[in-house]
Amino acid sequence: MASTHQAHATGAEFDSQASKRRNIALSPNGDASPQGLELDEKKTQARKVEQSILSSLDEYEFILAPIIFTLLSFFTRLYKIGLSNIVTWDEAHFGKFGSHYLKREFYFDVHPPLGKMLVGLSGYIAGYNGSFEFKSGETYPEELDYTTMRIFNATFGALCVPLAYFTARELNFRRPTVWLITLMVLCENSYATISRFILLDAMLLFFTFTTVLCWARFHRLQKKSFSIEWFVWILLTGVSIGCVCSVKWVGLFCTALVGLYTIEDLWTKFGDLKMPKLDLASHVAARVIGFIIVPLIVYMFSFYLHFVILENTGPGDAQMSSLFQANLRGTEVGKDSPLEIAYGSKATLKNMGYGGGLLHSHVQTYPEGSQQQQVTCYHHKDANNDWFFYPHRDAPEFDAEGNITFVANNDVIRLIHAQTGRNLHSHAVSAPVTKADNEVSSYGNLTVGDEKDHWSVEVIRDAASNDWSKLRTLTTAFRLKHTSLGCYLRAGNVNLPQWGFKQIEVTCVKENKPKDVYTHWNVESHVNEKLPAADAGAFKSPFFQDFIHLNVAMMTSNNALVPDPDKQDDLASQFWQWPILNVGLRMCGWDDHIVKYFLLGNPFVYWGGTASLGVFGLLVLWYLVRWQRGYTELKQQDIDQIHYSGIYPVIGWFLHYFPFIAMARVTYVHHYYPALYFSILSFGFLADHFTRPLSKSIQWGVFLVLYAVVVGLFALFIPISWGMEGSSSQWKHLKWFETWRITD
């Protein structure tokens, strides 16, 4: 016992055995060598350094990961961006609009101005002077730095990737899910492709992403209500809503998502009887300011800048009121026009309804009804817009060389079309589209006609004078009442079919509604050599009136973008084709010498996102059934996660997708891109939800497979985004379906 105790007491034998187990070199007498101890210490130190590095990477992942993703995003969006030197797809439109800003020429388009002003800014940065016409398929001139303009636009697309990363974090997804969502945005081929050109879609996506991020962050701050950070994010959400709506009206769908959330949130607070009424009122006021007033200010400010910048006359003048046009530099509207209208004067008549055009006629006749010469409203300058003021047929014959007689309030007149010599006429025949109204036509001539050519002048107001006894150029608003039928000349927002060149229908409305602005007219231009010219720029039109006028005109023109049954649009597609990636879009010509781009998404991102919507519906149904049966496996935090990180992205998808089902206008694949983002978030939610119960190693195994599929398919289809040179037959392996027209 003593010897044994002694051996253990000295520790020699114990240390010797322990050292052998630790693989430490021993000296001949059994002691551990200094070299072995030093080696063990180095390994321990190396492990500590490795753990320290991993710990630092883990701690700063929220900084490092978005930086890496952003760098990859800029690479995928910018690589070979200047390869194609031709005007590609809708660059023909938006590049031209940017040119108008640089030349400060007023133009008209169906979209709000913010995105196109940014295109103009990109041209300014690139040193472009606005002289290029941006004709589709035309080669860019050497002096136009189109690459810089594209890079500017691609920046918005590239920044969508870090925005997706931070949004996923704010939606309380775990790190693998955050990376998956970010990768799906990064490796979405359609996003990478459309961001590379001078278009509005990258800007629309950018502000859609910022709106969702700001909303998600604002929601996470609900327990910090009325803090400075809370106010900052509610205001940023409002600014972002204003910006997305100022690029395209599709942004209204994003606004609707935030609006639904706000209604639910306030309804919940309304039911909280413990909340002081003052706090509830403050919550309501903060949201009214942040989500309604601030977006309206941003939206209206974009139009204010639009009007300030575009100070010169341009191709879109006719969409605006006569007073607005008269104050544009270089305009012919009101220039050298006499102030007061006299018999024998030649004039153009502008409809004062929002989006109203000029009274117009042409030699083509109605295909049905009276089959007389058509009368329409037209938004462009044309000799067919000119009309002569003549006395009615019972008055003494008009003498062009006689004394001047001014057209007075309540006078009965004839309007004679200058180009065809026919009278403005109406009769008890139904209008071609608005059947409840009477048809308006051009009929007869100076000598042939009847009392149905007679119209009574009714002055409504005058912007410059309290004297309503005469008609004045630009400033007098008047109505024209048909003396026989008692109806009023009207031009609403109804477009004629193709036989009427999609121009505005002009009718004689039977109802007498003095406040109906579509029955109000003014003289826009006026020619009479016997009368002195007046100062056309003496009166200004108010901003708010111009703002409303332009927005209604945009809406009217947007509604007119319907498919033409007489023409085949190979680029158009149907709403049902988008979620299943049934079709792509050729962005340019397909000749071998042209660099070709095909607008098509990553199959996994599309199909996975679409499938997730159905799976999510089944998941919610499953939990509802189990809840009804008394199962309570979901904690409140799980329910909140499903509610805000699952249901709201699905609602966002429905809001951005279903309106296109109801729309009659022509549609294209890029209309689905905002909705696609919400399906990506939905897929991310399901991946996060179903992998939570798994062990960490299995979780990472699943996500690594998903990462590999997303990146692999992106790499496979990357030629369609970076440009296909030579014969398209080289990429026939990418034509998985006949509708994917990558090759002929």
Side-chain angles (χ1 to χ4, degrees), residues 24-46:
I24 295 177
L26 300 177
S27 62
N29 60 4
D31 296 331
S33 68
Q35 293 86 353
L37 290 173
E38 184 179 349
L39 180 63
D40 189 47
E41 186 177 346
K42 287 182 178 179
K43 289 183 177 179
T44 302
Q45 188 68 25

Side-chain angles (χ1 to χ4, degrees), residues 65-213:
I67 290 176
I68 294 171
F69 281 125
T70 303
L71 291 174
L72 290 172
S73 180
F74 272 96
F75 171 73
T76 57
R77 272 60 175 173
L78 298 183
Y79 181 66
K80 299 169 69 174
I81 194 170
L83 180 62
S84 175
N85 64 344
I86 65 171
V87 179
T88 303
W89 195 38
D90 277 353
E91 285 186 332
H93 296 300
F94 301 114
K96 187 186 300 179
F97 296 146
S99 299
H100 288 311
Y101 284 107
L102 294 172
K103 293 188 290 185
R104 308 190 72 172
E105 293 176 342
F106 193 85
Y107 73 94
F108 174 78
D109 181 46
V110 297
H111 300 302
L114 178 59
K116 292 165 294 185
M117 282 193 286
L118 291 172
V119 171
L121 177 60
S122 73
Y124 179 80
I125 293 172
Y128 170 49
N129 61 9
S131 60
F132 185 58
E133 294 187 9
F134 280 90
K135 293 181 180 179
S136 183
E138 190 171 335
T139 302
Y140 284 109
E142 292 184 4
E143 64 272 14
L144 201 167
D145 186 6
Y146 65 92
T147 301
T148 296
M149 294 181 70
R150 287 178 177 173
I151 289 173
F152 179 91
N153 194 81
T155 300
F156 288 92
L159 292 177
C160 288
V161 173
L163 289 172
Y165 171 88
F166 289 113
T167 300
R169 283 177 59 95
E170 293 302 331
L171 291 175
N172 202 29
F173 293 137
R174 292 170 298 126
R175 182 177 298 168
T177 308
V178 173
W179 290 2
L180 175 62
I181 290 172
T182 310
L183 265 180
M184 290 177 77
V185 174
L186 170 66
C187 297
E188 170 45 43
N189 294 81
S190 61
Y191 286 176
T193 306
I194 207 162
S195 298
R196 301 167 67 83
F197 298 98
I198 306 169
L199 308 171
L200 301 187
D201 298 274
M203 301 169 192
L204 175 67
L205 288 171
F206 174 81
F207 289 118
T208 299
F209 280 48
T210 59
T211 301
V212 177
L213 170 60

Side-chain angles (χ1 to χ4, degrees), residues 394 412-413 425-428 438 450-456 480-488 508:
D394 298 329
V412 176
I413 65 168
H425 181 91
S426 187
H427 37 223
N438 293 320
D450 53 29
E451 71 281 357
K452 293 179 181 178
D453 303 333
H454 295 168
W455 302 84
S456 176
L480 291 173
K481 180 180 179 181
H482 195 269
T483 57
S484 295
L485 302 176
C487 54
Y488 287 85
C508 200

Side-chain angles (χ1 to χ4, degrees), residues 585-597:
L585 185 148
R586 291 184 175 183
M587 301 184 70
C588 55
W590 228 242
D591 295 337
D592 290 351
H593 68 279
I594 294 176
V595 180
K596 293 166 282 295
Y597 297 88

Side-chain angles (χ1 to χ4, degrees), residues 275-300:
M275 178 176 288
K277 294 180 180 178
L278 181 60
D279 284 359
L280 179 61
S282 299
H283 275 290
V284 173
R287 286 158 176 78
V288 168
I289 293 172
F291 296 155
I292 298 177
I293 295 177
V294 169
L296 275 175
I297 291 174
V298 172
Y299 184 74
M300 293 178 68

Side-chain angles (χ1 to χ4, degrees), residues 395-472:
E397 184 176 351
F398 173 68
D399 181 8
E401 302 300 325
N403 294 330
I404 293 176
T405 304
F406 293 103
V407 178
N409 188 18
N410 297 319
D411 273 6
V412 176
I413 65 168
R414 282 185 298 156
L415 288 171
I416 299 178
H417 190 237
Q419 291 295 305
T420 61
R422 299 193 181 278
N423 304 283
L424 186 68
H425 181 91
S426 187
H427 37 223
V429 175
S430 294
V433 179
T434 310
K435 297 296 185 182
D437 295 352
N438 293 320
E439 178 192 87
V440 175
S441 65
S442 289
Y443 171 73
N445 52 41
L446 278 174
T447 57
V448 176
D450 53 29
E451 71 281 357
K452 293 179 181 178
D453 303 333
H454 295 168
W455 302 84
S456 176
V457 177
E458 296 182 1
V459 175
I460 300 298
R461 63 183 177 277
D462 195 299
S465 174
N466 293 323
D467 179 9
W468 294 4
S469 63
K470 298 178 181 178
L471 293 189
R472 294 179 177 84

